[in-house]
Amino acid sequence: MSAFAQETLVGDFSDLKSPLSEEEALVQADLCLQCGGVYATAPCTVACPADVDVPTFIAQIAAGDPGAAALTLFEQNILAASCARVCPVEVLCQASCVMNSQDEAAIEIGRLQRFAADWAYANGVAPRKKAAANGHKVAVIGAGPAGLACAGELAARGYTVTVYDERAEVGGLIRYAIAPFRQHTEPLPAEAVALAGLGVEIKLEAKIDSKKALAEIEKEVEAIFLGIGYGEDVLVKTPGDDLEGVWESLPFIEALKDGNPPQVGRRAAVIGGGNTAMDVAREALRLGAEEVTVLYRRTQAEMPAFYHEYEEALEEGVVFKWLTLPVAFKGENGRLTAVECQPMKLGEPDDSGRRRPEPIEGADFDLPVDTIVKAIGQRPREEFLSLIDGLELEWGRIKINPETGQTTNPKYFAAGDAINGGATAVQAVGGAKVAVAGIEAFVQGEKR
Amino acid sequence: MKEVRWHARAGQGAKTVSQLLAEAGLLAGSSVQAFPEYGPERRGAPMRAYTRISDKAIRRHDPVAAPDIVIVLEPTLVNEMNVAEGLSDDGVVLVDTNELPESLKGVNARAIPALKIAHDHGLKFSNVVMLGAAAAAGGIPLVNIQDAAVKKLGKRLDADSLRAAIAEGYACLA
Amino acid sequence: MSGLRPWQELSPGGTIRPTDAEKPKTGSWRTGIKPLADLSKCTNCLLCWLYCPDSAILLEDTTFVGFDDYFCKGCEVCAAVCPVGAIEMVPEETETPAGWVMRSDESGS
Amino acid sequence: MAVKTQEGAQLLTGGEAVAYAMAQIDPDVFPVYPITPQTPIIQTFAKLAANGKATTEIVNVESEHSAMSAAIGSAMAGARTMTATSSQGLALMAEVVYIAAGMRAPIVMAVGNRALSAPLNIHCDHSDSMMIRDSGVIQIFAESVQEAYDHAVMAARISEHPDVMLPVLVCQDGFTLTHSEEPLVLTPDEDVKDFVGEYKVPLPLLDTEQVTTKGIFALQDYYTELRYQMNAAMEAAETVIADVFAEYSQLVDRPFSMLEEYELEGAEKVIFLMGSTAGTIKDVVDDLRTEGEKVGLLRLVSYRPFPAEAIRRALEPVKEVIVLDRSDAPGSVPSLHAEMAAALYGSSTKLRAHVFGLGGRELVPAEGRAIFAGEAPTHIGLRS
């Protein structure tokens, strides 16, 4: 990308994927082949972790009824509006679209979903009908995508639901960690209003940090859903961590989304090879950095980031240094000036099956930077999880019965990042739906 | 039949006035024809336009070769070509200039200080003044030429100035 | 060229109506293979129907139900375009097992 | 035409005049690509449409090939369709012109005739029309701005007649007419509307009640028959043109003919040509008649269909016919020359022929006199 093009990105946090106009939506919807029917399910629906009936909602848009399309969406995914923005459709529904086999662009399912869901909120369409109260009470901990989806589903079925979250606003990582050019805050406020309309009570800035506090909740409800996600960034101690200009990814993005954009200076580096690293690198460009370098200790082939995210970052001018391990941050007067890098080579495969990076002795160098962001991943909320009796973990993840979402403490159910170690919002929604069925069976069974 | 040949540089409005002369002829009850002769269409290139005015229906479609009236909107053209070529025996050459150039001394030519007249009336272009002179030479009543000009140019130019400038050009031949 | 119509009987420019078009039995062109569909794989995208050069894909309303024996000339286009690999070309004499559709209509209507 | 046509006349160029006629007809679709000297036609038409005079869908396409392709689709769909072009544009369109005729698409196309490159030239001759002479389209040539306008009004009726169903090209000489202001009388809007009538073609593609396939494949079995149909359509067109001309003549009180006979009475030498130069020759004929010469003019209006029988009849008593082609045919003789020879085959009328007017070199009266006198070179005005 030319310097000129890169310059035009500065300060531009507008949506990467613009909303469709009504006419564009009609045209796009008309292109859909309407797969599915009496035999095999449409591949897009199969690919959707939330089981959205894609052909049906698209047909409803094509028929000029976006309201009906939205209801089809909400039927399976009460957070359809947010998911329309943050879903990696390129690797889910749109990747499976039959059009790909025709050397044609996939139907823009994500943008069509946004069109219908936004239309619904703009026109006062309630996502779901509220069932009569059934007397059962459930608590949901965490107002991220898993928690909100679970709360909404349960409320729509007549449950009395209270959601607890430690932050000031709903949305979890969608609100605080998804890049602003994917989703800023909208449509979370509308979704929160819609959930409130279903009777969900949301308690914000309600941190549960003691067994006592948890016990009080346990006393009130028949089941508790854990949509707590992961916690802070993985703890990797590096000499120079305390220098000004060294960031961890979550506070970095949160500052940006809260309207206090970090001063990145002229040169920024991002450590890591995941989707968050890609987001942060592209944010740094938009914050005015002229050179943004991603440092990753393995190669492109091992990067966990989606390939299309890597490609888009590359197109925007992000530079990638493979097989590069940052070993120390250097500074002057308490301010970061450079990162010391250790070039690596790939050795024998490690436990994960990936070839283990090994240092190339004597090849280390200093990369001058003004800002560095560590985007290596999050760590489990072990402290909080230790408050729950009988809760078993696997690799720091909550162990559940995949059929029911039930944890090893029968009263607790879970979904989302806390059980899968960090995935997509729509997978959180899908998992929450499994847990909702599990919770229903659990509490109804108990009564019987 | 009066045959008129206009010489100008592309962009000086010769096509417009060649048509206005025809329009005036039509208003005066004559049969008319007006057509430009295009070369490569470049602003500034020498171009010609023709007007025919007749009491009988005009059927011929050849360019005017033996003009009764030649109008030169651009005096420098006189040095580049023989503007009087084929001039009929009692024909006249009208040149937009203050003083006739040497080369036209043997020809029945008249200098019309059209640019000066146009400026006097607040007009930028002298073509309408030359139109007035041409109408006088062609025997078309002044009012017809004024009406034709105001009808076509009145939106862009002040009608009173237009009428006055045309009248003054007309008077040059009176 | 017996049996062909004179120019006076042809519509201007050769406009054809379904009713006056003859129905060549292109099904007789097959050279030993025919398509068969595994309905358990079929996602009903109808690309086969879009691509079939002889309109030999049979639909009921908008649902794929099989192939028209009268028109299908065994060209393999449907099998080639099927994005889920539900259509396979098999020897003509292959029996039609349950769940695989092959319809024959001698009248061609 | 007498001076009486001046009554209520206004000055318009040929290009503007044809555009007015088309706007009065208000076709449904007008796919078009600009080219000199056709440009004033579409420019004027677009302006008239923008001002609400026509409700036509003007389709700006990317080439003349596309323009005619779009026109065929539109006409087949059941929309009254018109377009316009010139010279290289017609050349680029040629492939599709054959298709339009073969599919029997009733498209009206205004043509400002212009020479073909190379060398590059923007002025009039008839080479472009000649290039598609055998395509199966009807071609009508105007002498004056008034006639170009009148032809445009009548063209739709001819084109859409169920016995014809062929494209009609309303041809006028590029620049000489397209850019020349002449007085003309416009036919009142209502009269044009009534005269042209509703657009009705049999079996339009958009008729979902009667589904049809158009643009079919036909091989040894049917190609000959389907191409032959156009011969019959052209034959029918002779009658249809005569009828439409007569009906419109009644309406506007101006004479129209596929073959204009001028001073043929007792003529011994007759010039035969098409287009605006006929006017110049008429003046020459008048002059020579005053001088006692027995000369006349036979002007061909309908180039396709070519009224061979009528020509032969008209020239029966004439000693010599002089054919003037406004196009050349290197290696052979041009179209009018050849077709006149065919029409006169076995007749006692002598035939002489010239090529004139290539690339806008207008024929002047002196040359007309020389032609009658038998003193002109084969290519009129050729410097050698």
Side-chain angles (χ1 to χ4, degrees):
Chain A
M1 173 169 283
S2 67
F4 173 75
Q6 188 173 332
E7 201 164 276
T8 63
L9 281 178
V10 175
D12 179 10
F13 289 96
S14 60
D15 296 3
L16 285 178
K17 289 178 195 160
S18 58
L20 293 171
S21 69
E22 190 180 335
E23 193 182 344
E24 287 169 330
L26 283 173
V27 169
Q28 189 62 218
D30 265 341
L31 290 173
C32 175
L33 290 174
Q34 289 292 310
C35 302
V38 296
Y39 312 120
T41 309
C44 43
T45 299
V46 172
C48 177
D51 300 326
V52 163
D53 184 351
V54 176
T56 297
F57 99 74
I58 292 181
Q60 287 162 328
I61 292 177
D65 193 350
L71 292 179
T72 301
L73 284 160
F74 293 137
E75 180 67 27
Q76 297 299 331
N77 184 351
I78 203 154
L79 298 182
S82 275
C83 284
R85 291 163 169 82
V86 303
C87 262
V89 288
E90 292 86 350
V91 298
L92 295 173
C93 51
Q94 291 184 197
S96 73
C97 179
V98 165
M99 297 300 262
N100 294 313
S101 73
Q102 302 301 304
D103 285 336
E104 299 277 352
I107 302 301
E108 294 199 76
I109 300 168
R111 293 174 80 200
L112 285 169
Q113 175 168 330
R114 175 171 175 179
F115 172 78
D118 284 4
W119 189 95
Y121 283 123
N123 291 278
V125 175
R128 293 286 275 278
K129 280 206 186 77
K130 185 174 160 42
N134 61 14
H136 296 294
K137 284 185 182 173
V138 177
V140 169
I141 302 178
L148 293 180
C150 178
E153 278 296 330
L154 286 172
R157 293 163 195 224
Y159 291 78
T160 304
V161 185
T162 308
V163 179
Y164 300 87
D165 196 284
E166 62 186 13
R167 293 183 191 265
E169 288 177 40
V170 300
L173 291 195
I174 295 180
R175 168 63 182 83
Y176 291 99
I178 291 273
F181 44 77
R182 299 184 198 285
Q183 178 171 354
H184 207 270
T185 50
E186 298 299 335
L188 281 167
E191 287 175 331
V193 168
L195 289 178
L198 287 170
V200 174
E201 186 187 5
I202 300 175
K203 292 190 171 172
L204 295 169
E205 295 179 310
K207 192 173 167 76
I208 301 158
D209 50 6
S210 66
K211 278 209 171 205
K212 186 166 167 261
L214 195 58
E216 270 173 34
I217 295 171
E218 277 188 19
K219 210 165 52 191
E220 290 289 317
V221 300
E222 296 159 65
I224 298 177
F225 175 82
L226 300 173
I228 56 175
Y230 258 28
E232 290 168 16
D233 284 68
V234 171
L235 206 59
V236 178
K237 287 280 180 201
T238 311
D241 269 341
D242 53 346
L243 289 167
E244 193 189 333
V246 178
W247 289 82
E248 293 201 328
S249 66
L250 291 182
F252 181 89
I253 303 173
E254 190 170 336
L256 172 58
K257 291 194 77 171
D258 275 344
N260 311 305
Q263 299 294 312
V264 292
R266 203 168 72 77
R267 288 172 295 214
V270 181
I271 303 170
N275 290 316
T276 304
M278 299 305 104
D279 271 10
V280 170
R282 296 168 76 181
E283 282 160 5
L285 284 175
R286 286 164 174 76
L287 287 167
E290 291 164 31
E291 291 172 29
V292 176
T293 310
V294 168
L295 306 174
Y296 183 52
R297 64 192 181 118
R298 301 176 198 254
T299 70
Q300 191 258 308
E302 288 85 19
M303 253 173 99
F306 295 127
Y307 187 75
H308 68 271
E309 296 291 347
Y310 158 66
E311 263 190 329
E312 286 171 24
L314 205 59
E315 264 170 40
E316 288 185 357
V318 173
V319 174
F320 288 81
K321 279 196 189 298
W322 310 117
L323 293 164
T324 305
L325 178 71
V327 290
F329 306 136
K330 297 177 173 178
E332 279 166 28
N333 305 324
R335 163 96 225 165
L336 177 73
T337 57
V339 52
E340 185 184 334
C341 297
Q342 171 63 60
M344 312 291 279
K345 62 182 181 210
L346 290 179
E348 293 303 309
D350 63 11
D351 295 345
S352 73
R354 297 186 295 185
R355 290 173 69 191
R356 184 195 303 275
E358 295 165 2
I360 305 171
E361 296 304 330
D364 55 324
F365 64 94
D366 282 0
L367 178 74
V369 290
D370 304 307
T371 299
I372 193 139
V373 184
K374 298 199 265 184
I376 306 161
Q378 290 167 262
R379 59 179 193 261
R381 297 183 187 270
E382 284 169 344
E383 205 175 314
F384 172 78
L385 293 173
S386 70
L387 303 178
I388 304 168
D389 294 329
L391 197 70
E392 281 179 39
L393 305 184
E394 263 177 356
W395 308 102
R397 304 171 187 178
I398 302 169
K399 194 174 159 188
I400 56 158
N401 174 351
E403 306 290 318
T404 60
Q406 195 167 32
T407 71
T408 50
N409 177 333
K411 194 164 184 174
Y412 282 84
F413 293 76
D417 286 0
I419 64 150
N420 62 28
T424 61
V426 68
Q427 278 167 285
V429 172
K433 285 167 64 181
V434 172
V436 164
I439 291 167
E440 280 215 286
F442 177 68
V443 300
Q444 309 279 1
E446 213 170 50
K447 284 283 163 202
R448 242 183 269 134
Chain B
M1 167 125 71
K2 290 278 186 197
E3 295 191 287
V4 185
R5 187 169 73 209
W6 304 77
H7 289 274
R9 294 196 184 281
Q12 287 183 314
K15 182 185 154 197
T16 303
V17 284
S18 72
Q19 292 176 344
L20 282 178
L21 187 63
E23 184 82 41
L26 189 68
L27 289 176
S30 301
S31 183
V32 294
Q33 186 184 55
F35 54 106
E37 185 177 292
Y38 287 96
E41 293 168 58
R42 294 170 303 178
R43 196 178 182 85
M47 61 81 69
R48 296 162 185 223
Y50 307 101
T51 310
R52 283 192 174 102
I53 300 162
S54 173
D55 294 339
K56 287 192 292 186
I58 299 170
R59 305 179 298 197
R60 60 193 294 185
H61 284 102
D62 56 321
V64 170
D68 301 296
I69 305 164
V70 171
I71 297 132
V72 184
L73 294 185
E74 172 54 47
T76 58
L77 290 172
V78 171
N79 306 321
E80 294 176 27
M81 62 185 73
N82 179 12
V83 295
E85 187 179 6
L87 190 67
S88 68
D89 293 345
D90 51 355
V92 62
V93 178
L94 308 176
V95 188
D96 180 352
T97 183
N98 295 330
E99 200 178 332
L100 278 182
E102 279 296 314
S103 54
L104 284 180
K105 283 287 158 66
V107 180
N108 178 22
R110 295 279 301 268
I112 313 286
L115 193 61
K116 187 187 166 300
I117 295 171
H119 287 172
D120 289 348
H121 293 279
L123 300 174
K124 263 200 223 156
F125 293 101
S126 57
N127 60 343
V128 289
V129 181
M130 294 305 286
L131 175 64
I140 292 172
L142 175 62
V143 64
N144 292 144
I145 201 77
Q146 285 174 323
D147 287 353
V150 169
K151 183 177 155 201
K152 184 148 186 174
L153 305 171
K155 270 191 209 144
R156 276 182 287 157
L157 303 171
D158 177 61
D160 291 341
S161 309
L162 208 49
R163 285 183 188 277
I166 291 170
E168 204 166 319
Y170 198 90
C172 290
L173 270 269
Chain C
M1 296 197 192
S2 61
L4 298 175
R5 283 179 279 164
W7 70 268
Q8 296 92 333
E9 291 179 17
L10 306 177
S11 63
T15 296
I16 293 176
R17 273 176 289 197
T19 47
D20 53 35
E22 281 162 303
K23 296 209 164 184
K25 187 184 177 182
T26 44
S28 66
W29 298 7
R30 289 203 301 276
T31 54
I33 51 170
K34 63 183 182 183
L36 283 177
D38 179 350
L39 291 181
S40 68
K41 290 185 187 167
C42 173
T43 59
N44 205 48
C45 67
L46 304 187
L47 282 175
C48 51
W49 176 80
L50 278 172
Y51 277 97
C52 177
D54 281 287
S55 303
I57 304 294
L58 296 173
L59 305 183
E60 269 173 29
D61 193 15
T62 57
T63 298
F64 170 87
V65 291
F67 307 95
D68 191 327
D69 189 41
Y70 189 88
F71 288 124
C72 170
K73 61 188 179 196
C75 71
E76 309 185 44
V77 165
C78 53
V81 300
C82 179
V84 294
I87 301 176
E88 198 184 315
M89 301 306 293
V90 297
E92 188 72 46
E93 57 277 12
T94 307
E95 288 219 8
T96 306
W100 296 57
V101 179
M102 187 82 189
R103 193 152 86 181
S104 175
D105 182 346
E106 277 305 319
S107 72
S109 62
Chain D
M1 268 170 246
V3 183
K4 70 167 175 135
T5 60
Q6 303 277 317
E7 220 171 294
Q10 55 184 299
L11 277 182
L12 286 178
T13 66
E16 291 165 344
V18 165
Y20 265 90
M22 288 174 151
Q24 287 177 308
I25 294 167
D26 192 13
D28 300 306
V29 181
F30 201 115
V32 71
Y33 192 82
I35 182 170
T36 301
Q38 156 260 37
T39 323
I41 301 175
I42 60 162
Q43 214 173 338
T44 309
F45 185 84
K47 199 156 83 185
L48 290 168
N51 291 338
K53 176 88 185 166
T55 58
T56 307
E57 178 80 28
I58 299 174
V59 188
N60 292 310
V61 289
E62 65 281 84
S63 75
E64 285 83 359
H65 193 280
S66 311
M68 186 48 86
S69 301
I72 293 174
S74 162
M76 290 287 111
R80 180 175 271 155
T81 307
M82 298 190 172
T83 182
T85 196
S86 281
S87 184
Q88 306 303 126
L90 189 55
L92 182 54
M93 207 182 254
E95 181 202 2
V96 200
V97 169
Y98 270 74
I99 298 170
M103 287 178 71
R104 311 293 295 277
I107 297 162
V108 171
M109 176 157 72
V111 175
N113 286 108
R114 162 184 155 184
L116 290 169
S117 293
L120 182 58
N121 183 293
I122 54 170
H123 290 283
C124 176
D125 67 34
H126 297 162
S127 313
D128 48 3
S129 273
M130 297 302 117
M131 183 180 47
I132 52 155
R133 62 175 204 177
D134 298 333
S135 63
V137 298
I138 291 170
Q139 298 199 52
I140 299 171
F141 282 75
E143 179 189 319
S144 64
V145 168
Q146 176 77 66
E147 203 178 45
Y149 167 82
D150 292 329
H151 284 170
V153 173
M154 292 185 278
R157 279 278 301 275
I158 298 164
S159 179
E160 294 161 16
H161 192 284
D163 295 345
V164 179
M165 298 282 287
L166 290 171
V168 173
L169 273 50
V170 177
C171 302
Q172 59 175 315
D173 289 352
F175 284 105
T176 318
L177 293 181
T178 56
H179 288 61
S180 183
E181 275 200 351
E182 292 182 2
L184 84 158
V185 183
L186 295 180
T187 308
D189 290 358
E190 278 315 304
D191 289 354
V192 172
K193 275 218 152 37
D194 291 348
F195 183 80
V196 175
E198 283 273 307
Y199 181 69
K200 277 187 208 131
V201 289
L203 302 175
L205 271 182
L206 291 183
D207 182 351
T208 51
E209 299 298 310
Q210 292 194 80
V211 180
T212 52
T213 294
K214 292 175 187 287
I216 58 152
F217 190 63
L219 298 177
Q220 295 91 332
D221 50 358
Y222 278 113
Y223 185 84
T224 304
E225 282 70 22
L226 289 167
R227 292 304 292 187
Y228 182 79
Q229 282 186 336
M230 288 194 282
N231 284 281
M234 279 288 185
E235 207 179 308
E238 287 203 39
T239 314
V240 170
I241 293 172
D243 291 349
V244 171
F245 276 13
E247 190 184 327
Y248 188 67
S249 185
Q250 286 260 309
L251 179 68
V252 300
D253 194 21
R254 285 186 291 274
F256 297 98
S257 166
M258 294 172 78
L259 192 63
E260 188 195 2
E261 299 180 9
Y262 187 81
E263 296 291 344
L264 281 204
E265 188 70 39
E268 290 174 359
K269 289 183 190 174
V270 169
I271 282 181
F272 178 77
L273 51 44
M274 303 194 291
S276 63
T277 315
T280 311
I281 299 294
K282 283 175 184 172
D283 280 4
V284 173
V285 166
D286 285 2
D287 287 352
L288 289 174
R289 282 273 176 174
T290 339
E291 295 163 24
E293 300 270 351
K294 291 175 179 160
V295 295
L297 167 75
L298 188 61
R299 175 171 70 99
L300 184 62
V301 175
S302 169
Y303 172 61
R304 286 287 181 277
F306 187 79
E309 265 307 306
I311 290 168
R312 191 186 162 100
R313 261 198 318 276
L315 294 176
E316 201 99 273
V318 174
K319 276 196 189 138
E320 184 179 29
V321 62
I322 308 155
V323 177
L324 302 186
D325 269 287
R326 198 161 189 177
S327 62
D328 203 2
S332 183
V333 296
S335 177
L336 293 187
H337 182 174
E339 293 179 49
M340 178 60 83
L344 291 182
Y345 185 72
S347 136
S348 60
T349 308
K350 271 172 53 187
L351 169 63
R352 189 144 58 83
H354 298 272
V355 167
F356 81 101
L358 300 185
R361 183 175 292 177
E362 293 294 346
L363 190 145
V364 300
E367 287 168 337
R369 296 178 76 101
I371 290 166
F372 276 121
E375 291 159 0
T378 319
H379 283 60
I380 305 298
L382 180 73
R383 289 184 303 275
S384 54

